Amino acid sequence: MIPLPVSARRAEGTFQPGVRAPVRGPHAALARELLGPAAGGDAPGEIELRLVPDPSLGAEGYTLDVTRERAVIAAADVAGLRWGVQTLRQLDGPGGVPCGTVRDVPRYAWRGVMIDVARWWRPMSFLRSYVDLLALHKFNVLHLHLTDDQGWRFEVRAHPRLTEAGARRAESPAGHAREGRFDGVPHGGFYTQRELRDLVAYAAARGVSVVPEIEFPGHSQAAIAACPWLGHPSGTPVQVRTSWGISSHVLNVGERAAGFARDVLDELCEVFPSRYVHIGGDEVRAGEWAADPEAARRVAEAGLDGPRALLGWWGRLLAGHLRGLGRRAVAWDDMLDHDPPEDMVIMAWRGVDRIEAALRAGHDVVAAPHTHTYLDYAESDAPGEPVSISGPLPLETVYGYDAGDSVLGMQAQLWGEYLPTRERFDYNAFPRLCAVAEAAWSAGRDLGGFTRRLADHLPLLDRMGVAYRRPEGAARVHL
């Protein structure tokens, strides 16, 4: 089982859901869907889902009791029933489900995976497939990075130019960005609000909350290309960025730009019911603000230290608006240096020291240090590995990370620059995502045990068509 449960005890014999065991109880329909044609019949054995008054299980804990005649999943909340079904799904091998008992409660409330669809648009079938993979490994957050310099993917009805002009770039880098070569192939795409609502519902049925991210005020070149009035009066017109890296173009601080941000967040919150909304806030260059008289007036009016402090002004503006909509703002830890509001969740990415700094400042923290959770980094620096933005980040390093007991949770990141295809995305994601799943769910670490369980787990990934990187280091597919 991945992630490792709190306790598991094996008994003699096996339960055979392959005889089309009937399913009874809350979420029986989802259990039938996940378990496939093996469930839902009228055989003597059965799978039962049961709600029980057990506060020790919390919202997401469960127990699984398997005998030769039946499998009983019990939980205090339907969320726990879902995770129990996923455990049963993992245990269902060629010989059936081993008899025994499992008791399981997650370590962290936030167990996330960030998928970047701004650099490379992904079809909705891809996102649904990854929701299934996340749920299988008991992740409960899909953090969807919807906008960046290289593309805007979220339909905003109040500002249609964002997807008419901002969702498509003329070309993309070929090879590593530092080589300065381009493929000459236009790339683009976006998601309608209806498509995203359907994704949210699909994910919610599987216990996964979709947390959207719109980048403010940096990483905004695609938005400025679509709506030039968001940029700076002295700036020259820009196109959707074709190279990777960080653009120097940022949103201005005028009232019209602030109204634009509120419009976007209003529509975003209509589509995504998540309690949390990510507002970006990372890698913001202050050069345009330093040269802008309007920004200087804003600095003076707000009593700020200088143009760089306008990042904090943006953060407080957006967090306040989200608060009025009943949501909490999440931002990258760059915001921590610019007086963020206390209720802002800090996603600490620049190092483990940033986690401690955010905790000392009194924030809820999602641990996402690039040194341990950036799965777009190459796993190895051996010859033959595909080009990556950085690395190496071995499986053992990912598995060994412990974020401590004070954080809200932890999250893996899959930035998209060098992951243009499903095959390449899978190659970087797995099996390291299995290691993150265990680090986020389970309190203990046993690399040897994890490695043995992973070997048994890989055939399930094979059946699901995941083009993972072989743990021994040999490439699974030529990329």
Side-chain angles (χ1 to χ4, degrees):
M1 287 175 281
I2 294 176
L4 184 68
V6 171
S7 66
R9 182 175 60 83
R10 177 75 184 269
E12 291 187 5
T14 58
F15 171 69
Q16 299 288 341
V19 297
R20 292 187 56 79
V23 184
R24 299 188 176 92
H27 291 275
L30 178 61
R32 294 187 195 102
E33 180 181 346
L34 293 175
L35 297 171
D42 54 3
E46 67 177 14
I47 299 169
E48 181 180 352
L49 281 62
R50 181 187 300 167
L51 290 174
V52 296
D54 186 348
S56 69
L57 293 174
E60 295 187 276
Y62 67 92
T63 62
L64 172 62
D65 186 11
V66 181
T67 66
R68 288 185 173 93
E69 293 76 29
R70 68 172 57 186
V72 178
I73 300 168
D77 189 274
V78 292
L81 294 179
R82 295 190 191 101
W83 302 136
V85 170
Q86 296 291 356
T87 295
L88 185 62
R89 184 182 176 197
Q90 286 195 26
L91 290 172
D92 186 12
V97 178
C99 293
T101 59
V102 173
R103 183 178 178 87
D104 209 2
V105 179
R107 183 182 189 188
Y108 295 134
W110 183 303
R111 305 179 304 280
V113 177
M114 191 282 298
I115 295 180
D116 172 12
V117 295
R119 272 50 177 264
W120 294 100
W121 177 85
R122 316 278 180 180
M124 195 56 67
S125 59
F126 170 97
L127 293 177
R128 288 191 175 216
S129 173
Y130 259 82
V131 165
D132 290 336
L133 286 166
L134 266 55
L136 175 68
H137 296 91
K138 301 185 176 71
F139 289 103
N140 63 353
V141 173
L142 168 58
H143 169 182
L144 204 54
H145 185 80
L146 287 162
T147 70
D148 216 292
D149 297 317
Q150 295 83 9
W152 184 285
R153 311 295 177 210
F154 174 64
E155 177 192 29
V156 181
R157 291 168 179 165
H159 300 281
R161 285 283 298 168
L162 288 168
T163 48
E164 291 170 357
R168 193 168 187 83
R169 61 175 179 265
E171 57 185 357
S172 307
H176 200 285
R178 62 173 170 260
E179 298 172 10
R181 297 185 294 112
F182 293 86
D183 60 13
V185 179
H187 174 79
F190 68 94
Y191 307 107
T192 67
Q193 294 189 9
R194 180 175 180 177
E195 287 175 322
L196 290 168
R197 284 191 178 94
D198 289 346
L199 176 67
V200 165
Y202 184 87
R206 287 151 180 78
V208 178
S209 174
V210 184
V211 174
E213 179 185 4
I214 302 291
E215 278 275 12
F216 302 103
H219 286 283
S220 296
Q221 185 167 323
I224 296 168
C227 304
W229 47 269
L230 290 171
H232 294 262
S234 60
T236 57
V238 298
Q239 303 299 314
V240 177
R241 187 176 173 93
T242 56
S243 58
W244 308 139
I246 306 166
S247 172
S248 61
H249 299 292
V250 298
L251 300 181
N252 66 53
V253 293
E255 288 302 323
R256 192 178 180 191
F260 160 84
R262 288 189 286 264
D263 290 343
V264 172
L265 292 178
D266 286 347
E267 294 196 29
L268 196 74
C269 290
E270 290 175 0
V271 174
F272 295 93
S274 166
R275 179 186 178 193
Y276 302 97
V277 173
H278 205 301
I279 59 172
D282 62 314
E283 299 178 323
V284 177
R285 303 297 188 248
E288 289 185 331
W289 289 336
D292 185 355
E294 184 177 41
R297 287 193 295 273
R298 181 71 74 183
V299 167
E301 290 170 1
L304 304 177
D305 292 338
R308 291 190 60 82
L310 288 167
L311 174 56
W313 176 85
W314 266 111
R316 293 186 291 278
L317 173 78
L318 299 171
H321 188 70
L322 286 170
R323 196 179 303 117
L325 296 172
R327 312 301 178 90
R328 284 185 71 183
V330 185
W332 299 107
D333 70 63
D334 311 53
M335 194 71 75
L336 188 61
D337 302 326
H338 299 284
D339 193 25
E342 291 184 359
D343 63 346
M344 179 178 283
V345 177
I346 298 298
M347 192 164 280
W349 72 277
R350 289 184 291 173
V352 294
D353 60 313
R354 302 298 290 173
I355 299 169
E356 295 304 320
L359 289 171
R360 286 195 302 270
H363 293 276
D364 284 337
V365 179
V366 176
H370 73 97
T371 52
H372 296 82
T373 68
Y374 272 39
L375 304 189
D376 53 312
Y377 286 12
E379 185 167 342
S380 166
D381 56 7
E385 286 290 334
V387 64
S388 296
I389 195 168
S390 189
L393 180 53
L395 175 69
E396 295 80 6
T397 301
V398 176
Y399 182 75
Y401 178 60
D402 190 329
D405 294 328
S406 300
V407 298
L408 178 63
M410 64 177 293
Q411 180 170 286
Q413 279 58 241
L414 284 150
W415 297 103
E417 289 94 332
Y418 297 96
L419 310 179
T421 65
R422 170 64 192 259
E423 291 74 20
R424 179 63 204 280
F425 195 96
D426 285 356
Y427 182 87
N428 272 63
F430 285 98
R432 289 183 295 180
L433 210 53
C434 299
V436 178
E438 189 149 313
W441 180 280
S442 311
R445 294 290 186 281
D446 176 3
L447 181 59
F450 172 76
T451 302
R452 289 189 292 273
R453 285 180 286 111
L454 180 61
D456 293 334
H457 185 70
L458 293 179
L460 176 56
L461 297 183
D462 286 328
R463 293 195 295 274
M464 297 179 72
V466 179
Y468 57 85
R469 181 186 188 276
R470 292 188 183 278
E472 64 270 24
R476 181 177 176 81
V477 294
H478 180 72
L479 299 169

